[in-house]
Amino acid sequence: MAQTVGFIGLGIMGKPMARNLIKAGYSLVVYNRTASKAAELVELGARQVESPRAVGAGADVVITIVSDSPEVESVVLGDNGVIEGIAEGGVVVDMSSISPITTQRIAAELKGRGVAMLDAPVSGGEIGAIQGTLSIMVGGEESVFSRVKPILESMGKSVVRVGEVGAGGFAKLSNQIIVAGVLQAVSEAMVLAKKAGVDIQLVYEAIRGGMAGGRTLDMKIPAFVEGKFEPGFKMDLHIKDVKNALLAGKALGVALPSTGLVHELFSSCSAQGKGQKDHSVIFTLLEQLSGLRQVGR
Ligand code: NAP
């Protein structure tokens, strides 16, 4: 019989990841706070339940991918949480991007009940989630990793264990620092070209093969050209990651000066009411600062 996997969080990332697990032959038991988002997966054969606790009771490997640290704490450790349902010997795999310090605290609680935890945040965006080509960075015990790896390989093309629990989260924070910095630089560069009256699509085509080329440039240029910023990856979620990186830097005594600046700029964009837009919407703040766009538009 197909192995049953529990899945909690059917947002932009979670739903296509869950779909890929079904395609790979796993039986799924799913929960989402907004129940209607599970309809498509139920049609594909998933069993929908009414609480994270019921997911825990129905599967010995439970995946979570929700927004941030408090939400993971709530679905795993809270009232009606996974911890109340999952049997000893089970595994919780949190694929959200959260504070690694919180991850380690949750893992310790679970361990006290005989349940293992991996943190396995992802990179590759909605497209990577749909295509099953995510990069997955994993922290946790080697033996637990080996047990769960085939499940993760159904959702990603690169699955790398980087250390003990929490290490996946630190890898993800590093990833998000790089993406934020590159996105900021790409946005500034393209606003300069635009203000100079040069077609930014052509600038992109001219530079993409050189050292400035890369995935962030490839993925975000269409949004700049079309002026459409539907998510994708929500600005408020990226601010959450950059904030978690700054907190980790403070805790460890690591200076992250340009990340601090990017945090201020991204936060200003969110303060304008653009937090639910794609993070590429930072381009519009830079347009405003350069007189290319009315403030607040
Ligand atoms: P999203 O579309 O906003 O989905 C968030 C999910 O979390 C939804 O299922 C939401 O339920 C659930 N949720 C939020 N608060 C909750 C609560 N208090 N209790 C229970 N469930 C709750 O976000 P996403 O883009 O899928 O991102 C999910 C995670 O993946 C985040 O940590 C994000 O940083 C990370 N990530 C995202 C991307 C990307 O490109 N989007 C890439 C890599 C990593 P509802 O449906 O009820 O709102």
Side-chain angles (χ1 to χ4, degrees):
M1 207 176 79
Q3 187 185 353
T4 300
V5 175
F7 205 101
I8 297 173
L10 302 172
I12 289 176
M13 297 298 283
K15 196 194 280 189
M17 290 162 68
R19 209 187 289 129
N20 283 330
L21 286 174
I22 294 175
K23 271 193 209 154
Y26 291 100
S27 293
L28 242 61
V29 50
V30 299
Y31 167 82
N32 194 62
R33 182 180 59 176
T34 307
S36 56
K37 288 191 192 167
E40 182 198 327
L41 294 168
V42 170
E43 267 180 34
L44 294 173
R47 181 165 70 89
Q48 183 175 13
V49 294
E50 284 183 2
S51 67
R53 173 193 179 139
V55 175
D60 60 359
V61 175
V62 173
I63 292 171
T64 52
I65 178 152
V66 294
S67 314
D68 194 3
S69 311
E71 289 76 29
V72 176
E73 275 193 296
S74 154
V75 298
V76 177
L77 302 180
D79 284 350
N80 261 326
V82 175
I83 196 168
E84 293 181 5
I86 195 166
E88 212 176 306
V91 185
V92 172
V93 184
D94 180 41
M95 304 190 77
S96 326
S97 310
I98 70 169
S99 155
I101 314 291
T102 304
T103 299
Q104 287 166 344
R105 202 171 54 236
I106 297 172
E109 285 247 5
L110 288 169
K111 195 172 179 183
R113 304 281 189 96
V115 175
M117 179 169 182
L118 299 177
D119 59 327
V122 306
S123 174
E126 184 185 13
I127 294 175
I130 292 169
Q131 295 177 343
T133 56
L134 292 168
S135 296
I136 306 179
M137 39 216 111
V138 188
E141 277 177 32
E142 180 90 59
S143 60
V144 180
F145 173 63
S146 306
R147 192 175 140 198
V148 168
K149 199 175 175 203
I151 297 174
L152 299 178
E153 283 171 341
S154 307
M155 298 178 281
K157 73 167 190 306
S158 155
V159 181
V160 177
R161 179 180 174 270
V162 287
E164 296 306 324
V165 71
F170 280 111
K172 177 66 183 178
L173 290 182
S174 305
N175 182 86
Q176 293 307 79
I177 289 172
I178 294 168
V179 175
V182 171
L183 180 59
Q184 178 66 26
V186 164
S187 302
E188 288 183 17
M190 291 302 158
V191 168
L192 176 67
K194 187 170 176 179
K195 183 113 196 219
V198 185
D199 184 324
I200 60 179
Q201 176 67 34
L202 296 178
V203 173
Y204 164 62
E205 283 166 26
I207 70 174
R208 62 191 283 207
M211 201 166 166
R215 204 163 150 74
T216 306
L217 190 70
D218 291 342
M219 285 174 72
K220 300 306 176 187
I221 285 293
F224 299 169
V225 170
E226 292 163 26
K228 288 190 184 144
F229 301 98
E230 293 320 306
F233 183 44
K234 292 171 190 160
M235 177 53 104
D236 280 347
L237 289 179
H238 205 161
I239 293 170
K240 170 261 302 177
D241 293 334
V242 173
K243 185 195 75 192
N244 284 338
L246 292 172
L247 289 173
K250 279 204 172 46
L252 297 172
V254 177
L256 300 169
S258 58
T259 305
L261 175 61
V262 169
H263 179 261
E264 291 301 300
L265 290 163
F266 280 19
S267 299
S268 305
C269 208
S270 180
Q272 292 186 337
K274 297 176 178 173
Q276 295 300 303
K277 298 280 183 194
D278 190 74
H279 58 163
S280 54
V281 78
I282 187 61
F283 182 73
T284 64
L285 183 76
L286 298 163
E287 285 183 305
Q288 290 167 18
L289 294 175
S290 314
L292 283 173
R293 181 185 284 261
Q294 252 185 321
V295 174
R297 296 286 311 276

